[in-house]
Amino acid sequence: MRVFRTLLLSLTVMGIAFATNVPEVHAQAKPTCSVRDGVNFHSQKNYGKAFECWDQHARLGSSAAQFNIARMYVLGEGVPRNKIEAFKWLTIADRSGRPEARKVLANIRKTMTAEEVEEAQKRIQKHYTGGR
């Protein structure tokens, strides 16, 4: 009986330890526009609205939206040109299965310093861990 109580106490303590290490899951808000809406906004040169639409979908895993955001950072459309952010979103799009992302990623990598790539890697990790 004493062994059973000790085992039960150990499992309870372990359960508390595991429970404190479980990350909180936050519900993603439903997008207010579609990826197609983003394309339409982009064609009208309404880059702010295009980015807003694509950002919502990119964070939910849309490789098309991820690639489109990367493209905006490469070209400086509605956002400042930013190789680090472009590299981040191209990597995420590539990992999400966007075939054209890999070629662009290889080209942009050639223009980056080791420090820029390192910063991009940190941002990629932050994306996948929800900022933790």
Side-chain angles (χ1 to χ4, degrees):
M1 186 66 161
R2 185 176 200 170
V3 171
F4 178 73
R5 278 190 290 200
T6 303
L7 180 60
L8 185 59
L9 179 62
S10 296
L11 290 173
T12 302
V13 171
M14 286 174 53
I16 292 169
F18 287 130
T20 59
N21 291 325
V22 175
E24 286 186 47
V25 176
H26 299 284
Q28 293 278 347
K30 184 177 179 185
T32 57
C33 52
S34 69
V35 174
R36 172 58 53 199
D37 291 335
V39 171
N40 292 335
F41 286 127
H42 187 270
S43 68
Q44 298 164 9
K45 299 195 184 315
N46 188 342
Y47 299 129
K49 288 296 285 183
F51 187 91
E52 182 182 317
C53 291
W54 290 336
D55 186 58
Q56 294 173 33
H57 288 277
R59 294 178 189 285
L60 294 173
S62 168
S63 65
Q66 293 160 350
F67 184 79
N68 290 341
I69 287 176
R71 185 177 175 276
M72 290 182 82
Y73 279 115
V74 168
L75 300 174
E77 295 177 330
V79 294
R81 286 185 181 192
N82 187 322
K83 291 187 283 188
I84 295 169
E85 281 296 308
F87 186 90
K88 175 185 107 174
W89 284 110
L90 286 167
T91 300
I92 293 166
D94 179 49
R95 291 178 182 175
S96 294
R98 196 76 186 173
E100 60 267 51
R102 185 162 294 177
K103 182 178 180 182
V104 179
L105 187 59
N107 289 334
I108 199 167
R109 170 62 182 94
K110 293 174 188 175
T111 70
M112 296 174 71
T113 66
E115 292 79 17
E116 289 172 326
V117 172
E118 183 179 338
E119 177 58 30
Q121 295 293 348
K122 288 177 186 175
R123 294 181 189 188
I124 293 163
Q125 183 64 30
K126 188 174 182 180
H127 170 81
Y128 285 116
T129 60
R132 293 182 291 281

